[in-house]
Amino acid sequence: MRTHPSHRPPLHVGSTGNRVQKLEERLKSQGYLKGAADDRFDAGTAKAVVAYKLDHGWEGKPKGVAGERMAQSLKGTGTTAETRQPGGSGDKGKTPSKLKGATYNVERDRDPKDVQKFLGKFAKNNDLDFVQLQEINGYHKALEKIPGYHLVTFPGAKDHGETGILVKDSLLQKQAMSIQGEGGGWTTVRGGHAPPRAATAVKLAGWLQVVSAHQPPSVDWKDGHPVGPKNRVSTYKSLSEKLLGFAKRKIENNPDQGVLIGGDWNEPASTKGKWSPGWIARQAGMTTHGGVESHGHGKIDYAMSYGCRVSNVKAGPTGGSDHNIVTFTVSRPKGQKG
């Protein structure tokens, strides 16, 4: 009797055959598998499976076993976003060595049409290649209508797509994923429930991994330790751990490529102590960038990077938000090949 594909047994260490070959080929193409795709599921394959699951929001301690959920995710369904290829307006087949980016907290309770109009005009006038976005729940449909750009977000995440990245159509987009924080979430000032946050990540131009992050507010540091409402602190810690793990894996697996993690940290870059953004940067060997006022007198919308140069960091207009949009240029070091 033929086994239906949905009931195929999971692949594990010791498995062999065509299914293993396809699994390894997909893991290798996305930078998770270092060895050869040789149709033998060994310890290296299991390690790659675990790394993939951690990057794609598997909860708890994922095992090095690949079932149907893993297969569907690798095919581009499940938790991963659509993969687009170069060929949009302005694409000449040449990989750009410089990308113009921005980070922007849209802020809640605004007219989506106003958000769409401001971001569309600003992105076009400044020739932005991407924008790391935060607080975009309720704006997804409006952002998807901005001409020349597409929105990468994960409404299926626990935070329903709180973060996203607006990407120019002509850029290569792959390895889109949701980096899911854990914990119980927290109670908002309005008495509602805020779920644990997820960060959005996407690979651009073949050499830069971009992440948009938004940490919960009302967390501070005292004597090197985070303090504040218990649930917010635990949620902050969880996303910090996930972002650090993501950065370390990307740097280890692709040392010749760049990583850029930016967004609204609700803390200045100078904050020190375990789980702070400065701690993430130091532990991962990354450099922080910022120094511009983007929220009243607070310098909390900024980036950290590895394997790339970030310059021309400037605060632009608020566009109706309580945050300024922060722009910058990301350059690939000369001589590096992806």
Side-chain angles (χ1 to χ4, degrees), residues 103-105 134 263-268 290-302 313-318 321-327:
T103 180
Y104 185 51
N105 185 308
Q134 304 87 44
D264 178 9
W265 301 99
N266 278 303
E267 288 293 332
V292 297
E293 293 184 359
S294 54
H295 187 284
H297 295 291
K299 301 175 182 178
I300 61 177
D301 298 326
Y302 58 92
V313 183
K314 300 176 182 177
T318 62
S321 173
D322 60 345
H323 292 243
N324 300 74
I325 189 168
V326 178
T327 60

Side-chain angles (χ1 to χ4, degrees), residues 87-106:
S89 59
D91 178 33
K92 298 179 181 179
K94 183 179 180 181
T95 301
S97 59
K98 287 186 178 181
L99 297 172
K100 292 183 179 179
T103 180
Y104 185 51
N105 185 308
V106 175

Side-chain angles (χ1 to χ4, degrees), residues 191-313:
H193 176 72
R197 285 183 172 152
T200 302
V202 66
K203 189 174 181 181
L204 303 178
W207 60 270
L208 182 65
Q209 193 82 40
V210 179
V211 181
S212 178
H214 186 198
Q215 284 281 27
S218 303
V219 176
D220 208 340
W221 268 259
K222 183 177 181 181
D223 299 326
H225 300 282
V227 295
K230 183 178 178 180
N231 285 349
R232 294 194 188 217
V233 169
S234 64
T235 302
Y236 205 116
K237 287 180 179 180
S238 174
L239 188 54
S240 290
E241 293 278 6
K242 291 298 183 70
L243 289 170
L244 174 59
F246 173 86
K248 282 185 171 181
R249 285 190 294 276
K250 291 300 176 184
I251 292 169
E252 178 184 356
N253 293 335
N254 301 283
D256 60 337
Q257 298 181 2
V259 179
L260 180 78
I261 304 177
D264 178 9
W265 301 99
N266 278 303
E267 288 293 332
S270 58
T271 302
K272 297 180 179 179
K274 191 173 182 180
W275 297 293
S276 70
W279 172 79
I280 298 173
R282 290 191 301 274
Q283 293 294 312
M286 304 178 77
T287 302
T288 55
H289 311 272
V292 297
E293 293 184 359
S294 54
H295 187 284
H297 295 291
K299 301 175 182 178
I300 61 177
D301 298 326
Y302 58 92
M304 59 181 73
S305 70
Y306 168 86
C308 54
R309 180 172 175 264
V310 179
S311 59
N312 303 319
V313 183

Side-chain angles (χ1 to χ4, degrees), residues 76-93:
T77 58
T79 59
T80 57
E82 178 185 2
T83 297
R84 301 194 181 202
Q85 299 296 326
S89 59
D91 178 33
K92 298 179 181 179

Side-chain angles (χ1 to χ4, degrees), residues 30-180:
Q30 295 195 27
Y32 289 95
L33 183 66
K34 292 183 178 181
D38 57 7
D39 84 358
R40 295 182 182 88
F41 198 120
D42 57 15
T45 309
K47 182 179 179 181
V49 168
V50 170
Y52 180 92
K53 288 180 176 180
L54 287 170
D55 281 350
H56 287 74
W58 261 256
E59 296 183 7
K61 295 181 179 180
K63 297 179 180 179
V65 176
E68 282 303 309
R69 180 185 173 192
M70 179 84 177
Q72 292 302 314
S73 182
L74 280 166
K75 287 179 181 178
T77 58
T79 59
T80 57
E82 178 185 2
T83 297
R84 301 194 181 202
Q85 299 296 326
S89 59
D91 178 33
K92 298 179 181 179
K94 183 179 180 181
T95 301
S97 59
K98 287 186 178 181
L99 297 172
K100 292 183 179 179
T103 180
Y104 185 51
N105 185 308
V106 175
E107 193 187 13
R108 300 188 190 283
D109 303 324
R110 297 173 56 193
D111 187 332
K113 291 183 179 179
D114 291 340
V115 174
Q116 177 189 340
K117 182 178 179 180
F118 167 71
L119 269 175
K121 184 177 180 180
F122 188 88
K124 181 179 179 180
N125 289 346
N126 291 273
D127 193 25
L128 296 180
D129 293 301
F130 66 90
V131 185
Q132 296 153 298
L133 297 168
Q134 304 87 44
E135 288 195 31
I136 62 170
N137 284 332
Y139 304 115
H140 291 177
K141 291 183 179 180
L143 293 170
E144 288 168 355
K145 294 178 181 179
I146 294 177
Y149 293 84
H150 58 273
L151 177 68
V152 181
T153 188
F154 289 85
K158 290 180 181 178
D159 64 0
H160 309 300
E162 169 80 8
T163 63
I165 303 174
L166 196 67
V167 182
K168 185 180 284 187
D169 282 339
S170 59
L171 281 175
L172 170 65
Q173 175 197 329
K174 64 179 183 178
Q175 294 188 14
M177 63 188 69
S178 176
I179 304 169
Q180 179 65 62

